[in-house]
Amino acid sequence: MFYRDVQRIQPAAEYDRGIVGVVVALLSLGIVMVYSSSIAMAEAGRHTGYQSTYFLLRHSLFVAASVAMAAAVFQVPIRTWQRYAPPLFLLGMALLLLVLVPGIGREVNGSQRWLPLVVLNLQPSEVMKLFVVVYAADYTVRKAAYMGSFKKGFAPMLVVMLFVGGLLLREPDFGAFAVITVIAMGILFLGGMNWRLFAGLAVLLVLGFVLLILTSPYRMQRIIGFMDPWSDPYGRGYQLSHALIAFGRGEWFGVGLGGSVEKLFYLPEAHTDFLLAVIAEELGFAGVATVIGLFCWLILRAFAIGQQSAVLERLFAALVAQGIGLWIGVQAIINMGVNMGVLPTKGLTLPLMSFGGSAIAANCCAIAVLLRIDWENRQLMRGRTV
């Protein structure tokens, strides 16, 4: 019966061309919009040499390097990722510790999140997202028999995730903490965690987030600004109010590529956190709907690949694929929600599109792992060894 089921879904191609096409589309649109949204800032900045193409050239190099890294990552068998999942997780924690060391970690806008390298800055929290995916998947496979037990199944993961969360909050990087928490919890749930235990922990998690907000003045100010940005449009509601203006100006088809007014020093971080607002202003509802559609297709495909891996009895690969789908989906939803005023302002980039070397590299490597899982599935369905 199993063999016949596999034969029915036998693929015709060696790799998923749809994923490649969607990722290329997102990366390409990201390059165009990063350039459009950063021209004014690049021309006015002394550190950019007053060159309008400063961010375009850097982002293009980031994308090219990330694609090269992804090509190398694709060559790594999934069983190798499973074998080295714990050491990679420890490496990620070491990097998170290192970034907090005075004199080593670089501070920007009050947050110490970067490790300065020779030609770029490494953001460990972005790398850690991929490491958490593979570690949580490996942990779930190893502890499959104890997923209904809090003490033996969840408690060990809870301890290490609290440690990781503490390091992220020290930077502080609340957005990365939220995404990594959802990744770990989601993979444990998909791996068979008792639903009552999951529901109870989810409630505790929400209460924990609320407590973090109430005990942090700057986070509380962001919540207040989110609830009514127009009450203080030049203060705590500045970013959101200008993002909403950008969406309003875009209407159905936008004001045209390059025609954004909000990117002219009104909208902070237009080429990173608020790239979608510039897309909305220049390409309108049609542009935003296209971006959302591409992300939806990619996320659904990741879960489909995970389901296919489960059919082939490859539990680790299934959880990694679905974990990657969770990661990209949750981060995209948070970024879009912030841009649209649905969620409080948070410093998370739009995956595969926003300016940033570490984020683009981590995203591309995750997509390479997803493609490798799909490729191995296809080889197994053809009766080949991987």
Side-chain angles (χ1 to χ4, degrees):
M1 176 65 73
F2 174 75
Y3 178 76
R4 289 199 300 270
D5 289 342
V6 168
Q7 286 295 98
R8 291 193 193 101
I9 57 176
Q10 184 172 356
E14 286 289 333
Y15 64 93
D16 195 316
R17 295 173 183 172
I19 290 180
V20 174
V22 167
V23 170
V24 168
L26 288 170
L27 289 173
S28 300
L29 182 58
I31 290 173
V32 172
M33 296 312 302
V34 163
Y35 179 43
S36 177
S37 61
S38 65
I39 292 176
M41 184 170 62
E43 288 180 339
R46 182 175 300 174
H47 74 286
T48 64
Y50 308 104
Q51 298 295 316
S52 63
T53 58
Y54 176 83
F55 291 103
L56 169 65
L57 293 176
R58 286 180 64 84
H59 188 66
S60 299
L61 288 173
F62 290 154
V63 170
S66 299
V67 170
M69 290 176 59
V73 168
F74 179 78
Q75 307 302 318
V76 180
I78 297 304
R79 63 177 178 270
T80 302
W81 284 101
Q82 185 171 10
R83 183 183 307 123
Y84 292 102
L88 288 173
F89 187 73
L90 291 174
L91 173 62
M93 288 197 293
L95 291 174
L96 290 178
L97 280 168
L98 192 61
V99 80
L100 295 175
V101 177
I104 296 179
R106 182 186 178 191
E107 183 176 336
V108 179
N109 295 330
S111 297
Q112 194 162 322
R113 304 177 185 176
W114 294 269
L115 290 173
L117 302 180
V118 178
V119 294
L120 52 83
N121 294 317
L122 174 67
Q123 190 171 355
S125 60
E126 294 294 337
V127 179
M128 192 60 173
K129 291 171 187 175
L130 178 57
F131 292 167
V132 165
V133 169
V134 296
Y135 177 74
D138 174 63
Y139 178 87
T140 303
V141 171
R142 287 188 285 108
K143 299 284 187 177
Y146 304 107
M147 280 295 102
S149 168
F150 176 84
K151 183 177 180 180
K152 295 183 178 180
F154 183 76
M157 174 64 82
L158 177 63
V159 171
V160 296
M161 291 310 299
L162 285 175
F163 180 71
V164 171
L167 294 177
L168 290 170
L169 292 176
R170 284 284 297 169
E171 294 183 6
D173 195 346
F174 187 78
F177 171 57
V179 172
I180 285 175
T181 300
V182 171
I183 291 171
M185 290 284 291
I187 289 177
L188 289 173
F189 178 73
L190 292 168
M193 178 187 283
N194 182 283
W195 72 268
R196 291 186 180 88
L197 177 60
F198 179 81
L201 291 170
V203 171
L204 290 176
L205 189 63
V206 171
L207 293 176
F209 279 131
V210 171
L211 183 62
L212 284 173
I213 292 170
L214 293 176
T215 56
S216 175
Y218 87 92
R219 293 192 187 107
M220 196 64 195
Q221 289 300 314
R222 284 188 173 185
I223 295 296
I224 295 172
F226 159 71
M227 297 299 292
D228 187 9
W230 307 109
S231 64
D232 187 11
Y234 297 105
R236 56 177 176 251
Y238 184 80
Q239 287 179 307
L240 180 54
S241 61
H242 281 281
L244 294 175
I245 291 171
F247 271 86
R249 290 192 75 244
E251 298 185 349
W252 288 100
F253 299 103
V255 298
L257 185 62
S260 169
V261 172
E262 288 301 316
K263 69 184 181 185
L264 304 177
F265 307 105
Y266 294 105
L267 186 62
E269 309 298 336
H271 61 308
T272 55
D273 301 349
F274 285 91
L275 186 68
L276 189 70
V278 179
I279 293 174
E281 186 177 4
E282 296 190 350
L283 305 182
F285 174 81
V288 173
T290 299
V291 171
I292 293 174
L294 290 172
F295 275 111
C296 286
W297 190 95
L298 181 59
I299 295 160
L300 291 173
R301 186 68 191 118
F303 276 87
I305 290 172
Q307 185 177 14
Q308 189 181 68
S309 298
V311 170
L312 293 169
E313 300 180 350
R314 305 179 66 218
L315 181 56
F316 174 76
L319 292 174
V320 169
Q322 293 173 346
I324 291 171
L326 273 175
W327 166 15
I328 295 175
V330 169
Q331 185 159 332
I333 288 171
I334 292 176
N335 178 273
M336 293 175 183
V338 167
N339 276 254
M340 297 178 186
V342 179
L343 295 172
T345 302
K346 195 73 227 75
L348 279 175
T349 58
L350 188 61
L352 297 167
M353 297 188 71
S354 293
F355 178 84
S358 298
I360 292 290
N363 295 156
C364 287
C365 288
I367 295 299
V369 173
L370 182 63
L371 285 169
R372 177 73 191 198
I373 294 171
D374 176 70
W375 181 85
E376 290 187 4
N377 288 348
R378 293 167 190 252
Q379 302 308 303
L380 288 172
M381 288 186 286
R382 289 180 175 181
R384 303 173 185 174
T385 59
V386 293

